Amino acid sequence: MTRHFFRLLVAFTLFAQLPALAGETGHCQESFQKLTQLIGRNFFETRRDFEKYAELFPQSFLSRVSSLKEDGHWVDAGSGEGFALQDLFNQTVIDPEKVLKEAASSFWRARKIVIDPEPLRESAQQLNFREAADKPKITGVTYKMERPDPKIPNLAFKVGRFFEDIPLGEFAPADLITDLYGVISYSPRLDEVLRRYHALLKNSGRAYIFIGDYLSVPQHIGTRRIERIGEEGWYSPFVNSTVTRTDGSTVSLLDWIKSLPDFNAKVEKVVIQQSKKGNLVPGEIERSTLVLEKRTEQSNIPLLKLLESDDGKPPIRKFEEVP
Ligand SMILES: C[S@@+](CC[C@H](N)C(=O)[O-])C[C@H]1O[C@@H](n2cnc3c(N)ncnc32)[C@H](O)[C@@H]1O
């Protein structure tokens, strides 16, 4: 009871200080508050399980998780209810045959998720029926969690604080950071989040930031009057959000992060083939994740100020580099 009250007090104090913080750093106060309130309301998808993470992130994510030994550490930045993390402590973490069945197209599902079955089966073999003592350490960070902490040794949740405010000393160095429409998608202090990912990552570690979809082949209705279903290109808040550099040029948030010298960055994809159905002609989606590997010892990420944000889930934001 006292602990709960103390947590509420800390959260309230931090929340009360945010407008001052926004003012000090030149952020647009209204947009800053909009984002912190959006996070505080917690009206978004927070219950994805491990199979969903494995479906949305590229296959290298699963290989990485499965290769983590007892000295490994996975941080999920924006862990919601933490089901994906808790699943790692199940006897069967992932059922490869079920995953393959669900990825295949059927009469009901006119789409196919392209998965290489061999690495999937290998990862499942490494993850399933593993001794508890061999499991890696896992940390979930979430501003809100509606259910009680499942209290599993090796699984810790940091609840009730903004990631940007948690002293870095509270974290062990990370082999893997995941952000599935989590902290980086909502933060008004995005530069600080990236600095922290850089500081937390071990040299061999990787951060997986889910970006959204690239529609590489739009479907169209194959009748005489061709009607396209969607336009080729990105469907992603990271691509619609922008950063204006000190030289006056404006780039997408995705390109800005990719261009930071602090990381080696690449976009990895899951291909989704939209099969022919009725008179719908096949199409293709590339579900994309930005994978960051630390390149420099020190980070030199420019300061950003938030200029604008909408209240989308996730929001589209405009930032500007501070000279
Ligand atoms: C849309 S939910 C996604 C949850 C989870 N990744 C999933 O897929 O089910 C966003 C999560 O990020 C957390 N979050 C967003 N910004 C945050 C911040 N700055 N500090 C701490 N948690 C944050 C929210 O509290 C929530 O847990």
Side-chain angles (χ1 to χ4, degrees), residues 101 104-111 275-278:
K101 195 168 164 212
S105 58
S106 68
F107 179 77
W108 306 107
R109 282 188 304 250
R111 62 98 185 99
S275 347
K276 182 170 168 43
K277 189 170 188 202

Side-chain angles (χ1 to χ4, degrees), residues 191-225:
D191 52 329
E192 180 57 22
V193 175
L194 280 172
R195 255 175 243 119
R196 285 163 165 264
Y197 287 178
H198 185 277
L200 288 178
L201 276 179
K202 293 181 187 171
N203 284 340
S204 54
R206 298 280 188 285
Y208 280 68
I209 300 173
F210 186 74
I211 295 297
D213 288 350
Y214 183 81
L215 181 59
S216 49
V217 184
Q219 285 192 288
H220 58 265
I221 298 172
T223 53
R224 261 184 297 150
R225 248 194 35 212

Side-chain angles (χ1 to χ4, degrees), residues 149-165:
D149 185 329
K151 298 220 181 324
I152 296 172
N154 268 10
L155 171 60
F157 287 101
K158 296 191 182 296
V159 185
R161 287 178 288 173
F162 289 109
F163 173 67
E164 301 87 318
D165 298 323

Side-chain angles (χ1 to χ4, degrees), residues 35 39-40 42-49 52-53 56 76-84 141-145 158 160-166 178-189 193 313-314:
L35 289 181
I39 301 166
N42 205 38
F43 282 166
F44 29 49
E45 174 61 69
T46 57
R47 309 175 75 86
R48 293 185 184 96
D49 61 9
K52 198 70 194 166
Y53 271 47
L56 295 174
D76 191 24
S79 51
E81 294 302 306
F83 291 116
V141 181
T142 178
Y143 188 69
K144 281 220 171 133
M145 187 161 159
K158 296 191 182 296
R161 287 178 288 173
F162 289 109
F163 173 67
E164 301 87 318
D165 298 323
I166 304 175
T178 44
D179 191 315
L180 177 45
Y181 282 155
V183 171
I184 210 163
S185 293
Y186 288 88
S187 177
R189 292 178 274 166
V193 175
K313 293 174 191 171

